[in-house]
Amino acid sequence: MKLKNDFHPFVRYIPAVIIFIVILTIVIFALNDINGTSESEGLTITENSVRRAVITCYAQEGSYPPDIEYLKENYGLRISDEYLVYYDIFASNIMPNITVARKQVDG
């Protein structure tokens, strides 16, 4: 006597589809984590570059630069268009406050 298989033919693929979905989900989360890490690294690298240029200017000239444009013109500082640099100087002999932020994209 032969047993009849009552299952739909596609039912046997369900475990493979579930495993594929789980793997795809893990890959998506991993890529999002890598993207977030690279964004924070970009901020850190930009802030460190500005700080190095400020300290170099102070070492060579004896005073901190008046603004970021001065560093761009005289020390070759380059800042990506995707970042905003907040440069707050109190006095020429006191280290300025430097903050780098990512520009918000509208839309």
Side-chain angles (χ1 to χ4, degrees), residues 14-86:
I14 289 178
V17 169
I18 291 172
I19 291 172
F20 175 76
I21 291 171
V22 168
I23 290 172
L24 184 63
T25 303
I26 291 170
V27 168
I28 289 171
F29 279 115
L31 290 175
N32 283 338
D33 187 45
I34 289 171
N35 186 33
T37 301
S38 68
E39 287 179 10
S40 68
E41 285 295 318
L43 289 171
T44 302
I45 290 169
T46 302
E47 185 171 337
N48 288 341
S49 297
V50 173
R51 287 188 188 282
R52 277 193 301 270
V54 166
I55 291 169
T56 300
C57 177
Y58 185 77
Q60 291 180 354
E61 299 180 16
S63 63
Y64 289 106
D67 55 26
I68 293 296
E69 291 304 316
Y70 185 84
L71 293 173
K72 289 179 179 178
E73 292 170 8
N74 298 295
Y75 290 89
L77 178 66
R78 291 187 180 174
I79 299 171
S80 173
D81 291 337
E82 63 186 283
Y83 299 114
L84 292 173
V85 177
Y86 299 100

Side-chain angles (χ1 to χ4, degrees), residues 87-100:
Y87 184 83
D88 184 28
I89 187 163
F90 175 72
S92 64
N93 62 341
I94 297 175
M95 178 73 169
N97 292 323
I98 301 167
T99 305
V100 177

